[in-house]
Amino acid sequence: MNMPKKSFIFPVIIIVISSLLFFNYAHSKISFSGTQFKQGEYYRFLTFPFTHINFEHFYENMIALAIVSVLAFEIGITQYEFFGLFLFSSYFVGLVALLLMPDLSMAGTSVGIYAILGALTIKGISYLSKPIMIPLMLAPLFLKFIYDMMSSLEIAKASAPQFLLHFGGFFLGYKAYHMYYLTKYKPKEEVETRVP
Amino acid sequence: MPAPISGFGLAIALIAAGLIIYIRYKKFLNEKFSKLADQQKPQSTPKSDFKPEDKPEEKKENAAPAVSTLEKKE
């Protein structure tokens, strides 16, 4: 199987846009929530995956995005797949939040990052099996939620939507890439195995 | 204010970095073993003088009448 060319254009584009937005606009102007969207601020739907609420949120997500993109290309996800998956899952989760949780304020690249992690569990099967890969990728999410539940029920209630949306991003990334993988890569692999 | 989405980026970054190191190590080992296997191949597989005429199945077929002739002699 041919390995795709390693190019970091799209992750770099995401980091540059996020940095420009973070240092030039307050997150309150470009983050997304259903109520603001319904008031006519439609641009928020496009900008929210590149917006961060504070510096900690910004640098954590940028570091995670950079390292996850290296991992994605190491495993064999192409840059177009990476970017497509990132945008698709972020906007799909945004749409679900708009319909189900219109009061929730959304900002950050983390949903897209979780979608990439979901896709990595499909593509990375040649290095680590799924029963190890999936819990490993979801460990930070579940540990944070368990920690919140143990600290207090109110904190857990407040972080429950975060947990659901992040998990939604992971599941979307997993499912979308699985379907894409079956249509694009599987037929080629079958032909390669048949023809010596 | 409702809770915004915030990342647990450093934990994810740590896991991803660990996986990168693991995958690199595995690729390195695979390359090393495949090179070793290539080096050993010519030594371990000597040329055989196998001819399609000397098929063991055909020998069996030939052997069957030989037994029957022995029986006849007896």
Side-chain angles (χ1 to χ4, degrees):
Chain A
M1 204 167 84
N2 293 327
M3 287 297 283
K5 271 187 177 179
K6 283 178 188 173
S7 173
F8 294 92
I9 293 169
F10 287 121
V12 169
I13 287 173
I14 295 168
I15 290 171
V16 168
I17 293 172
S18 301
S19 307
L20 287 173
L21 289 176
F22 180 74
F23 291 110
N24 289 306
Y25 295 95
H27 88 274
S28 55
K29 286 182 183 173
I30 47 176
S31 63
F32 171 75
S33 78
T35 44
Q36 286 160 334
F37 183 82
K38 282 171 188 170
Q39 283 166 9
E41 297 174 356
Y42 303 118
Y43 64 91
R44 286 173 181 270
F45 189 74
L46 294 174
T47 52
F48 89 87
F50 309 100
T51 316
H52 296 88
I53 54 164
N54 54 33
F55 188 69
E56 192 189 0
H57 188 208
F58 171 72
Y59 87 82
E60 272 194 11
N61 275 356
M62 291 304 104
I63 291 170
L65 180 69
I67 297 178
V68 166
S69 62
V70 173
L71 177 65
F73 300 140
E74 195 68 45
I75 281 179
I77 288 180
T78 63
Q79 55 170 337
Y80 296 104
E81 290 166 5
F82 183 94
F83 197 58
L85 213 60
F86 179 89
L87 289 182
F88 169 73
S89 56
S90 296
Y91 291 133
F92 196 94
V93 168
L95 200 69
V96 172
L98 172 72
L99 297 172
L100 302 179
M101 294 175 268
D103 293 332
L104 189 78
S105 172
M106 282 179 71
T109 53
S110 46
V111 172
I113 292 170
Y114 268 102
I116 304 297
L117 293 179
L120 288 178
T121 56
I122 303 283
K123 193 85 178 185
I125 204 162
S126 50
Y127 299 101
L128 270 176
S129 61
K130 265 187 198 175
I132 298 171
M133 200 78 157
I134 292 174
L136 195 69
M137 298 298 189
L138 287 172
L141 191 64
F142 276 89
L143 285 176
K144 170 80 166 53
F145 190 63
I146 290 164
Y147 177 77
D148 287 346
M149 276 176 75
M150 284 171 80
S151 43
S152 90
L153 208 67
E154 282 184 9
I155 295 173
K157 268 185 186 176
S159 67
Q162 283 183 39
F163 173 81
L164 281 175
L165 294 176
H166 282 125
F167 187 77
F170 181 89
F171 182 75
L172 257 178
Y174 173 84
K175 211 63 209 167
Y177 196 77
H178 187 227
M179 287 165 77
Y180 174 78
Y181 185 85
L182 286 178
T183 52
K184 194 184 176 186
Y185 291 106
K186 210 72 180 172
K188 279 184 189 173
E189 280 174 14
E190 280 171 9
V191 168
E192 275 172 16
T193 50
R194 274 177 207 163
V195 181
Chain B
M1 187 183 158
I5 287 175
S6 67
F8 328 111
L10 294 179
I12 298 167
L14 208 68
I15 290 170
L19 275 172
I20 291 167
I21 293 165
Y22 174 75
I23 287 165
R24 285 259 160 163
Y25 177 68
K26 213 168 178 184
K27 278 181 183 173
F28 168 75
L29 280 184
N30 278 345
E31 279 177 20
K32 210 168 187 181
F33 279 121
S34 63
K35 274 181 188 174
L36 272 174
D38 287 342
Q39 282 173 356
Q40 285 176 352
K41 248 184 186 176
Q43 291 169 358
S44 61
T45 54
K47 282 181 183 176
S48 62
D49 298 327
F50 182 79
K51 289 172 188 174
E53 295 157 11
D54 305 332
K55 280 180 184 174
E57 287 172 9
E58 284 177 11
K59 275 184 182 175
K60 275 181 188 174
E61 283 170 8
N62 293 335
V67 173
S68 62
T69 49
L70 275 171
E71 281 171 358
K72 276 177 186 176
K73 278 179 185 176
E74 281 171 5

